Amino acid sequence: MKPFFVRDIAIDPPLILSPMAGVTDYVFRRLIKRRGGVGLVVSEFISVEGLTRGNPKSKRQMRFDEEERPFAVQIFGGRPERMAMGAEMAEEVGADILDVNCGCPAPKVVKNGGGSGLLREPDRLEDILRAIKRAISIPLTLKLRTGYSDSSINVVDVAKMAEQCGVEHIQVHGRTREQGYKGLANWDLIRQVKEAVSIPVSGNGDITSIDYGMEKWRESGVNGILIGRGAMQNPWIFRQFEDVLAGRDPYQPDLAEKKAVLLEFFEMCLGEMPEIVALGKMKQLAGQFTKGLPGGAVFRQTLYHSHSEQEILDNIEAYFTGLNGDRVRSEESSADTDLEFASCESASTVAAAI
Ligand SMILES: Cc1cc2nc3c(=O)[nH]c(=O)nc-3n(C[C@H](O)[C@H](O)[C@H](O)COP(=O)(O)O)c2cc1C
């Protein structure tokens, strides 16, 4: 499992922070990147309708820092000319890669022909990809689900078409739109895509442990792996993966480091956004991060009912002070890995609510 290239951009290590609306913003991406082991980060999906109409939120979503490179901007939409304009804007702000979302299942996105809606209309997707290729010189990549419905799985054909259009990296989340986030991702379909095209292919779906990730990687033969929800539960997952790939024992953060990462995230949020939004972001991350830690459920409750920066800080302090190291280790080993977010839509709801 070696680094791979998207044209001349090394994805090294071949591990990608999967885009998540309402999560993988400027703050979260840097938090994860600083833990090590991430070869590529991607923006949240950005509406080209918003971008090309000067919507300040859409423009803000393209912001990134040099420390994040290589950095991909992901756009969504259903109209070729708007997608091309949005892609041009991403190139202008200095993104290394332009990624097209062909997977979001949210009805609002699909209704307008974007996201996984494009899987129902491969001709329209082809027009979009060709229009973007004419508009930009940075590499174009695609993130796909396996099909629109379970009876119309077409990811292999779509990937072949995309390769013909000049797409330089395919990323497959192994579920159909119909599946949403239910069941398990189908890594056999991901393997079939890898075998059908000659550009790099990365796989995605349900990687929350190194063992499972290594197993799926070997079985599918993909060039890279994307991890989404697993990074919220364990910001060190990429570093641990990289360690195992290099033949080392996976890094194990101690309690002090776990506390520090929460505080670092909170401080970054407070520096970037209004306090009320920062509180919401903190609750969102802590909700995932403390899963499996002893007393995590009670801690989450106290956090959800915290209404100020100081209250949050006090609760974090009290929680970590009260933790007993031995209990942590034993309970962590049986940590549940429930994945809480159900859809892009629910993420947008979270984002809108905070
Ligand atoms: C809250 C949330 C928001 C997401 N937003 C996006 C998005 O903006 N663009 C995208 O391509 N996929 C998005 N996804 C899908 C993830 O990138 C990924 O494909 C999916 O969660 C499966 O990977 P995982 O099991 O590692 O989380 C989102 C997923 C979640 C849970």
Side-chain angles (χ1 to χ4, degrees):
M1 287 149 196
K2 306 179 297 287
F4 69 94
F5 284 83
V6 177
R7 198 182 302 170
D8 55 350
I9 301 167
I11 310 301
D12 180 15
L15 301 167
I16 303 167
L17 174 61
S18 209
M20 291 183 286
V23 180
T24 52
D25 59 9
Y26 178 62
V27 168
F28 186 78
R29 292 192 309 264
R30 285 179 300 153
L31 185 86
I32 298 298
K33 184 93 187 191
R34 288 175 190 171
R35 310 278 81 75
V38 186
L40 176 68
V41 296
V42 189
S43 71
E44 305 170 74
F45 72 160
I46 305 176
S47 160
V48 294
E49 298 297 331
L51 260 188
T52 56
R53 290 184 164 79
N55 180 322
K57 181 183 168 207
S58 308
K59 287 199 151 169
R60 249 192 337 268
Q61 287 177 315
M62 286 207 298
R63 177 168 166 227
F64 69 99
D65 195 275
E66 286 300 313
E67 69 177 286
E68 295 186 56
R69 289 194 189 276
F71 170 67
V73 163
Q74 187 189 68
I75 55 173
F76 73 95
R79 298 200 284 170
E81 66 290 354
R82 290 276 162 185
M83 289 292 273
M85 279 171 72
E88 237 179 309
M89 292 171 80
E91 179 162 15
E92 274 166 22
V93 299
D96 298 297
I97 291 173
L98 189 280
D99 186 46
V100 167
N101 180 301
C102 198
C104 180
K108 203 171 73 183
V109 172
V110 171
K111 199 179 73 202
N112 294 314
S116 58
L118 288 168
L119 292 169
R120 271 193 306 196
E121 296 182 85
D123 291 348
R124 185 208 286 261
L125 176 60
E126 184 169 352
D127 289 347
I128 286 176
L129 298 176
R130 292 197 186 281
I132 293 177
K133 278 301 283 182
R134 284 192 295 272
I136 61 170
S137 57
I138 55 174
L140 167 62
T141 66
L142 190 58
K143 183 157 175 287
L144 295 162
R145 279 188 179 242
T146 52
Y148 189 79
S149 68
D150 296 349
S151 58
S152 62
I153 288 174
N154 58 353
V155 65
V156 172
D157 288 341
V158 171
K160 284 190 199 163
M161 177 274 283
E163 181 176 29
Q164 291 305 314
C165 293
V167 166
E168 293 179 71
H169 176 212
I170 303 267
Q171 301 149 104
V172 184
H173 172 199
R175 289 184 174 86
T176 61
R177 192 246 172 187
E178 184 179 352
Q179 243 183 304
Y181 286 82
K182 295 197 203 82
L184 281 179
N186 183 336
W187 281 80
D188 190 52
L189 283 168
I190 297 173
R191 180 189 58 77
Q192 290 177 34
V193 173
K194 172 63 194 159
E195 285 171 4
V197 297
S198 38
I199 51 177
V201 173
S202 295
N204 169 231
D206 311 324
I207 306 299
T208 54
S209 74
I210 308 303
D211 285 350
Y212 193 66
M214 294 298 286
E215 181 189 320
K216 292 299 158 198
W217 202 332
R218 283 197 199 97
E219 280 173 16
S220 64
V222 288
N223 301 90
I225 294 264
L226 293 94
I227 300 175
R229 294 166 294 181
M232 294 179 75
Q233 292 167 9
N234 174 11
W236 294 271
I237 193 166
F238 297 97
R239 176 167 174 185
Q240 293 170 340
F241 226 113
E242 187 184 26
D243 284 340
V244 172
L245 290 179
R248 297 185 292 264
D249 285 340
Y251 180 75
Q252 292 301 340
D254 61 17
L255 263 187
E257 212 176 335
K258 289 182 178 179
K259 177 181 165 192
V261 90
L262 274 183
L263 293 175
E264 179 184 340
F265 180 72
F266 195 33
E267 194 184 324
M268 285 164 84
C269 287
L270 287 165
E272 288 295 328
M273 49 193 88
E275 184 178 346
I276 177 88
V277 182
L279 297 187
K281 286 272 180 194
M282 187 62 186
K283 292 173 189 181
Q284 182 192 50
L285 180 69
Q288 294 292 309
F289 185 76
T290 58
K291 281 195 166 177
L293 288 181
V298 175
F299 174 58
R300 287 193 290 278
Q301 280 305 315
T302 55
L303 222 52
Y304 289 141
H305 294 105
S306 303
H307 300 294
S308 70
E309 174 186 345
Q310 196 53 52
E311 239 182 298
I312 294 238
L313 291 173
D314 290 346
N315 281 324
I316 291 176
E317 189 57 43
Y319 175 65
F320 280 95
T321 306
L323 279 180
N324 165 311
D326 287 334
R327 273 170 60 221
V328 172
R329 271 189 293 283
S330 69
E331 292 202 34
E332 267 181 338
S333 63
S334 59
D336 73 313
T337 51
D338 262 7
L339 300 175
E340 208 163 62
F341 287 102
S343 69
C344 301
E345 206 184 13
S346 72
S348 313
T349 315
V350 173
I354 56 181

